[in-house]
Amino acid sequence: MLTGVLHRQNTASPTTHRVVNLSATGLRMSAVEGLSVGEMIAVTIGLVESVLARVVRVDEGSVAIAFVEPIDVVEARKRRRDVGAIVPRAGWLGEMQDAYGKH
């Protein structure tokens, strides 16, 4: 499951949503409320951070967003290790995350 983080202009904290469809020129997210067509936002997806985008369509519970400039979809699909979970750094739990570590 791919998720994206919305950074709204007048909101203190960003919100995380499921990305339903992704291309180099835009995306669709589900479970998004409170956005209007034409609104400018920033989106972080995978390793692509704070991409400027415009809301182009708002449906019941989902939103379509067009990026101002095309993004690298391969980088956007890569997982961020620092988002959504705490990665252990000490002891055997930290070593468990490294498939090529000492065994």
Side-chain angles (χ1 to χ4, degrees):
M1 181 172 82
L2 186 62
T3 59
V5 179
L6 285 179
H7 306 274
R8 302 174 196 208
Q9 290 181 348
N10 297 325
T11 306
S13 59
T15 55
T16 303
H17 305 277
R18 182 172 175 242
V19 175
V20 179
N21 193 357
L22 174 67
S23 72
T25 58
L27 62 79
R28 196 179 102 201
M29 288 183 159
S30 63
V32 180
E33 295 179 4
L35 290 177
S36 306
V37 173
E39 186 174 344
M40 295 299 291
I41 58 171
V43 182
T44 297
I45 311 145
L47 299 180
V48 178
E49 294 189 28
S50 299
V51 177
L52 191 58
R54 179 182 309 277
V55 177
V56 293
R57 188 178 74 233
V58 177
D59 294 329
E60 291 181 23
S62 71
V63 63
I65 298 167
F67 303 126
V68 172
E69 294 183 14
I71 66 165
D72 183 349
V73 176
V74 174
E75 289 295 305
R77 290 188 184 279
K78 289 182 180 176
R79 250 186 140 177
R80 294 176 58 106
R81 293 180 62 93
D82 62 341
V83 174
I86 297 172
V87 179
R89 304 243 185 260
W92 64 271
L93 284 175
E95 293 172 4
M96 194 170 81
Q97 300 294 325
D98 185 6
Y100 303 103
K102 50 189 169 178
H103 296 286

